[in-house]
Amino acid sequence: MESCVYSWDKVSDLTTTEAKACLQAVIFAEDLRFREVSVESDALTVVNKFKSEELDRSTIGNTINEIKCKIQRFRYLAFKHIPGTANGVAYRLAVWGRQFDSPRFWVEEIPSEVGHLL
């Protein structure tokens, strides 16, 4: 398991934020040389766009297409929809991560400040 938090200013909507978060997760996994990756998102629209074989021309199309270009670098790369109500840890981690100006990364563990939610 890997976790990371990023601070993004001036992101116009939650769908864009979630697409960017998925891109960062894929880049992080690629940097760590993971070959089999499952990315979970509570944004069904974003997950469906990853699964579509059509070129995405929406406002998040560039982000979606950038991720799709990375698929061949993995043995397995899947995107799964997880309802937001089912992942309180991810929500708590996102809220907690807002305090940082630079990215934070964790592999095999999460910060103790949110670990009690497991």
Side-chain angles (χ1 to χ4, degrees):
M1 180 182 94
E2 63 179 86
S3 302
C4 54
V5 293
Y6 286 82
S7 177
W8 286 314
D9 294 331
K10 301 176 185 144
V11 177
S12 59
D13 61 88
L14 293 175
T15 303
T16 300
T17 301
E18 191 66 20
K20 288 179 174 285
C22 289
L23 173 60
Q24 287 307 134
V26 170
I27 290 170
F28 187 35
E30 183 180 29
D31 289 347
L32 292 175
R33 297 188 188 339
F34 290 170
R35 304 302 299 150
E36 297 181 2
V37 177
S38 179
V39 178
E40 297 178 349
S41 171
D42 65 352
L44 183 58
T45 301
V46 173
V47 172
N48 287 339
K49 287 179 178 290
F50 289 130
K51 292 180 177 183
S52 173
E53 294 187 19
E54 295 181 21
L55 180 65
D56 193 307
R57 298 186 187 280
S58 69
T59 56
I60 62 170
N62 287 340
T63 304
I64 299 297
N65 295 327
E66 185 175 348
I67 292 171
K68 286 182 175 183
C69 287
K70 294 179 177 295
I71 288 174
Q72 70 275 5
R73 298 177 185 168
F74 296 90
R75 188 174 321 139
Y76 173 84
L77 178 59
F79 296 88
K80 298 178 182 180
H81 176 252
I82 304 296
T85 56
N87 200 345
V89 175
Y91 174 77
R92 177 84 170 126
L93 187 61
V95 170
W96 179 78
R98 290 180 188 161
Q99 68 182 308
F100 301 108
D101 292 332
S102 60
R104 298 286 192 265
F105 304 92
W106 299 271
V107 178
E108 298 296 331
E109 61 185 45
I110 60 172
S112 59
E113 291 84 356
V114 295
H116 68 279
L117 295 173
L118 290 176

